Amino acid sequence: MILDRIPIDAIGVQERVDRICSRSIKKESKLQALDLALRMMDLTTLEGSDSAGKVRQLCNKAMHPYTELPNIPSVAAVCVYPNRVKLAKEILKDSAINVASVATAFPSGMSSLEIKLDDVRYAVQEGADEIDMVISRGAFLSGDYALVYDEIAQIKEACAHAHLKVILETGELGSLEHVRMASDLAMEAGADFIKTSTGKIQPAATMPVVLVMLQAIRDFHHKTGKTIGMKPAGGIRTSKQAIQYLVMVKEILGEKWLTPDLFRFGASSLANDVLMQWVKEKTGRYQSLNYFSND
Amino acid sequence: MGKRKDGPISVSKLFFKRLVRTINIIMSQKKSDSSTMPIHWEYAHAPESTDHVQYEMQYGLFIDGAFSDYDPSKSFDSVNPATGELLYQCTQADEKDVDTAVKAARKAYEEHWGSIKGSIRGKYLYRIARMLQERAREFAVLESLDGGKPIRESRDIDIPLAAAYFFYYAGWADKLAYAFPAKKVTPLGVCGQIIPWNFPLLMLAWKIAPALACGNTVVLKPAETTSLTALKFCELLQDIGLPNGVVNLITGPGQTGEYLVNHDGIDKIAFTGSTGVGKKIQQSIAGRNIKSTLELGGKGAYIIFEDASLNEAVEGIVNAIFFNQGHVCCAGSRLLVQEGVADRVIELLKQRMATLIVGDPLDKNTDVGAINSQNQLNTIQRYVDIGLEEGAECFQCEGNIPSSGFYFRPTLLTNVSQSSKVVQEEIFGPVLTVQTFRTTQEAIDKANNTPYGLANGIWTDKGSKIFHVGSQLRSGVVWSNTYNKFDPTSPFGGYKESGKGREGGVQGLAPYVHLESNVEAEI
């Protein structure tokens, strides 16, 4: 493949972002957005301390975000480490909620390809519906694009039926041009989704980065007809941020992408803020955070 | 599949697993079918509140620090362009009123303002700036009500910038000797100022701030369709205690402006508006000892080279031609795009245009508001019709627009050439002509091939190209990789028929002062 270097003007990107953030989303359009944001959420726990109990709680929260309101939808997926997939799958078996698993020596990706492939196969075998892989940022930054491409392509094969989300870890890529190039590379290599971050590196998802990735998805669709999904992850904590991302998706990619099949939020604390806003829209009053379960 | 460390799984087991998974997938799809359909999502109406805004239904003139009574015999109406309904009525200043205003300004100049210390003038200008900031929301709403521009722009651009110009020139008031080293700096006297309807309060700031900073007094005529923020500004001047007669406001149509230009009591005329009127003013003041600055029309070229960042360039187009409904003298109304990227740029631009929201200026989500007047709406429509007759292809963004009021959809005219009327003449509306070029020289030639020379834009990733092209464009402003950016520190003005003199920056002081060589200071 030929990798184009697309020029990107960071100041112009920020201006576009500011304009998107100036949209005022109120009333029924806000409720619609909150509903969608919840349905697009990948409820995530990726800690070394994740015990069976923690995963169990997370899965319950995913199925029943807020019992006070019967019509609250459940989230799209829970995202866990490979050795917690089986348990999560077991708990969620009667629901429509997917189990996503990070793999490929997450979060650094600093291991051999063989080990990464095994990591993926293990997660898939345990029942993961979606695999969130990381690219080799070191190889990418040193210009070894072929290696990055081949890794993604082989991991895609190892995923079999599972959907592949490719994490670019944009906080380590250094420029928006690199973000764009890595997005193009990942999509060419077979990504179903491209994803900003592991959540372990700061900055995680930022609006300029997501704008550039959405533009890459739009251009890839224009070029190949293929529809790729997008997942910003890390640092998205408020409903307001989530709604601004949705505005961005609508205005850059169009309404076709306003579905959990093509857009996800990777977040752990966003859910409760969405629920709180939801209740506020319904009742006109803010509830104390004490009324919402932590997990 | 590669080797497994946990040993192979038998084929039958694998088959069974896959079968179960397939069934699960089908089941889960059934369960989630309705929840994975893309939604149709429209932004709800988000109107800016007008509760806190008060204005009179009828206004007199503001002369010598006081409002005269509204005179029904000389009345004219100002409508809300968003609805076409009457907003308020003004008094049309006749020759006698203009004379009274000029005399009041002369008296204030001679008795007080022309000779007080610069630091005191600065104090008043700072007060104006602070008060504008304090009342920014109110002025923004009034500006949108009266002129039709989206609240997003009046709130984020017009009013903050107007305050910024007062702050900037307040700083110069006591430092004029440093602006013009080795010169003796004295004010001119009474300045006649005529401003347009596209940026009513901002143009008022561009005119009044430097004039007052330099020690002049002012008689200002706002545009006929947009007097409201200027009238409100006079109330603000009363609140801050600006001495009487320093700023006088005469409302009315072109005829009122003519009285002002022809009055022999003025020392300076500053005009922003059309090139046609600008030429008439030049004729009127010929042979008289009157300084003038004219900021007139434009037909800016917006040049996109094939190495540009296209997404940002497309966003720049939106700021260049759809900003303020295209009622911008420095608008980038001629798109010149290099042939290699022309198709993609037009495609991206059409996609972007589809997301523009045209409608109620007071809705916070509105991108393109109402056309300022029925007259201007007719002019724009006439030009688009001419373009179509000349063979242009027209693209307009879809979506609902209000049925009453003056609205025009953002429009692209392709298949036009340098000889088309729509490429040559200023339309002053949200209409962009699209031409292509092959070489850098061709782009420069096309950009310069116009009687105007106010502003141009260059989009390229190459710094050297910006300087190469920028130095050859014959216009007062050249923006690179951005468009329609304003700052009080930067001079603004035209080449050729786009005007003379500069406003803004230290250069903007010169048209408001007499300079004499001060030999002693030089030594």
Side-chain angles (χ1 to χ4, degrees), chain B residues 33-184:
Chain B
D33 234 359
S34 63
S35 67
T36 57
M37 288 288 284
I39 65 162
H40 175 56
W41 187 38
E42 255 179 60
Y43 310 141
H45 192 47
E48 175 72 32
S49 161
T50 56
D51 300 346
H52 59 101
V53 173
Q54 286 177 341
Y55 59 93
E56 309 290 327
M57 280 311 291
Q58 283 149 352
Y59 281 97
L61 308 171
F62 183 77
I63 295 173
D64 205 13
F67 280 97
S68 66
D69 289 335
Y70 162 71
D71 184 346
S73 69
K74 298 190 288 189
S75 160
F76 67 97
D77 295 348
S78 188
V79 300
N80 178 351
T83 58
E85 287 162 10
L86 176 71
L87 201 62
Y88 60 93
Q89 292 173 303
C90 285
T91 303
Q92 178 177 335
D94 58 19
E95 200 163 5
K96 196 164 144 283
D97 297 322
V98 172
D99 184 55
T100 315
V102 172
K103 281 184 174 145
R106 174 65 58 192
K107 184 160 161 274
Y109 172 72
E110 282 175 356
E111 291 181 0
H112 180 66
W113 193 258
S115 50
I116 57 172
K117 281 167 73 176
S119 56
I120 300 178
R121 297 196 304 268
K123 180 187 75 177
Y124 285 112
L125 288 169
Y126 277 122
R127 273 195 207 163
I128 295 173
R130 284 197 302 270
M131 197 65 120
L132 273 180
Q133 284 186 322
E134 248 172 60
R135 293 170 61 177
R137 200 43 78 98
E138 178 191 356
F139 273 97
V141 169
L142 291 168
E143 200 74 308
S144 286
L145 270 175
D146 197 20
K149 65 174 64 206
I151 188 74
R152 186 185 68 81
E153 290 176 10
S154 48
R155 180 195 66 204
D156 296 348
I157 298 164
D158 287 64
I159 311 303
L161 260 181
Y165 274 84
F166 276 105
F167 272 118
Y168 176 77
Y169 280 111
W172 274 120
D174 60 350
K175 303 177 192 71
L176 295 173
Y178 299 90
F180 306 101
K183 301 277 186 193
K184 187 172 172 224

Side-chain angles (χ1 to χ4, degrees), chain A:
Chain A
M1 64 168 280
I2 302 162
L3 204 55
D4 287 331
R5 283 169 193 272
I6 310 280
I8 291 172
D9 186 288
I11 295 168
V13 169
Q14 186 59 52
E15 280 183 12
R16 180 79 182 100
V17 165
D18 290 345
R19 186 145 182 185
I20 284 166
C21 292
S22 77
R23 291 285 192 216
S24 178
I25 307 301
K26 305 279 182 217
K27 301 184 192 108
E28 60 278 12
S29 57
K30 183 173 176 183
L31 265 178
Q32 252 186 309
L34 293 173
D35 175 273
L36 188 60
L38 205 55
R39 288 192 286 118
M40 284 175 162
M41 213 169 293
D42 283 5
L43 218 51
T44 304
T45 183
L46 295 171
E47 301 299 331
S49 58
D50 284 349
S51 60
K54 167 78 184 171
V55 170
R56 206 166 277 133
Q57 289 175 50
L58 189 80
C59 292
N60 281 327
K61 176 79 176 176
M63 288 187 287
H64 314 290
Y66 187 64
T67 44
E68 297 295 309
L69 286 177
N71 292 330
I72 293 274
S74 53
V75 303
V78 295
C79 184
V80 294
Y81 270 119
N83 60 354
R84 297 286 169 242
V85 168
K86 197 172 203 165
L87 174 64
K89 200 66 207 166
E90 175 64 27
I91 302 166
L92 296 171
K93 65 175 185 291
D94 293 328
S95 76
I97 299 168
N98 281 347
V99 174
S101 175
V102 295
T104 69
F106 181 92
S108 69
M110 298 297 260
S111 193
S112 71
L113 178 60
E114 262 315 299
I115 288 175
K116 292 180 188 178
L117 289 171
D118 276 342
D119 203 10
V120 170
R121 285 185 206 115
Y122 169 63
V124 172
Q125 197 185 327
E126 293 285 284
D129 308 287
E130 302 169 6
I131 296 295
D132 291 21
M133 70 166 282
V134 291
I135 65 164
S136 299
R137 283 87 77 190
F140 179 85
L141 290 172
S142 63
D144 197 351
Y145 306 122
L147 185 140
V148 179
Y149 180 93
D150 289 346
E151 275 193 353
I152 298 170
Q154 291 193 51
I155 288 164
K156 167 73 181 168
E157 210 181 317
C159 283
H161 60 268
H163 268 243
L164 176 63
K165 305 195 198 102
V166 178
I167 303 172
L168 310 180
E169 195 63 302
T170 52
E172 289 186 338
L173 295 185
S175 73
L176 291 175
E177 271 96 349
H178 277 166
V179 169
R180 172 67 196 238
M181 212 196 287
S183 305
D184 289 343
L185 192 103
M187 290 187 292
E188 293 281 357
D192 297 306
F193 262 71
I194 50 176
K195 175 176 167 183
T196 58
S197 322
T198 59
K200 305 290 182 192
I201 295 288
Q202 288 302 325
T206 66
M207 298 210 71
V209 157
V210 174
L211 178 69
V212 168
M213 291 171 74
L214 292 177
Q215 287 167 345
I217 290 172
R218 181 201 59 201
D219 292 348
F220 188 71
H221 181 259
H222 175 259
K223 198 166 82 174
T224 65
K226 289 181 196 157
T227 310
I228 307 296
M230 171 72 203
K231 177 176 171 184
I236 306 164
R237 292 188 183 86
T238 65
S239 303
K240 190 170 180 177
Q241 284 173 296
I243 291 172
Q244 285 166 343
Y245 279 115
L246 292 179
V247 170
M248 192 182 264
V249 173
K250 174 182 156 75
E251 299 207 1
I252 304 296
L253 290 173
E255 288 183 347
K256 186 181 170 191
W257 266 263
L258 290 179
T259 151
D261 286 347
L262 290 171
F263 193 82
R264 296 280 181 84
F265 291 107
S268 44
S269 57
L270 173 63
N272 273 353
D273 194 64
V274 169
L275 293 169
M276 197 160 77
Q277 291 291 336
W278 184 307
V279 174
K280 189 250 167 183
E281 284 301 310
K282 289 285 186 198
T283 64
R285 291 183 300 279
Y286 280 107
Q287 302 275 358
S288 156
L289 259 182
N290 291 336
Y291 288 95
F292 302 94
S293 60
N294 285 339
D295 48 27

Side-chain angles (χ1 to χ4, degrees), chain B residues 71 78 131 165 167 194 202 205 224 256-257 276 299 414 470 476 513:
Chain B
D71 184 346
S78 188
M131 197 65 120
Y165 274 84
F167 272 118
I194 301 171
L202 182 57
E224 189 182 1
T256 303
K299 193 73 183 173
T414 51
V513 290

